[in-house]
Amino acid sequence: MQLTAIITLLSATLAGVASAGSIQVNYYTDGGCTAYASTPPNTPTNGGCYNWQWTGSNSANIANCNGFRQCTCLFYTQPNCAGGLQSAQYGGNNCASNWGQGWVSFRCQGVN
């Protein structure tokens, strides 16, 4: 009985982890989100700030919005999500361009 309860709890926990959504952000060397440069790993989906800068990048977008109804990211010109910003929304205006400087940090939010 106790073993069955533990297995049931473990299965429910793993199912919750497996169904968690993900957001893939891509950085690009051009200003129009077409010349791929890099993908930051483990993008937070809860609005937490992520410091990521790629030398030579000039634009960024949301390449994939998995497990969410809507994904939005704000890209910032300074570390720690400060300074000038521009938004990108998956399925909408999905290219944040900052020619000549690129982006230094971002925060993304997935909504179910």
Side-chain angles (χ1 to χ4, degrees), residues 22 65 81:
S22 65
C65 174
C81 296

Side-chain angles (χ1 to χ4, degrees), residues 23-101:
I23 298 173
Q24 178 185 339
V25 169
N26 285 353
Y27 277 44
Y28 301 87
T29 56
D30 68 324
C33 295
T34 58
Y36 174 80
S38 69
T39 299
N42 305 316
T43 298
T45 61
N46 63 354
C49 186
Y50 193 128
N51 289 316
W52 179 270
Q53 183 175 18
W54 192 264
T55 302
S57 69
N58 292 292
S59 59
N61 74 357
I62 304 168
N64 286 303
C65 174
N66 297 314
F68 295 110
R69 184 175 43 81
Q70 180 180 347
C71 293
T72 303
C73 295
L74 299 174
F75 295 91
Y76 296 85
T77 58
Q78 295 178 13
N80 304 313
C81 296
L85 66 95
Q86 196 172 76
S87 67
Q89 184 169 2
Y90 191 76
N93 182 12
N94 192 22
C95 184
S97 182
N98 191 27
W99 187 259
Q101 296 178 354

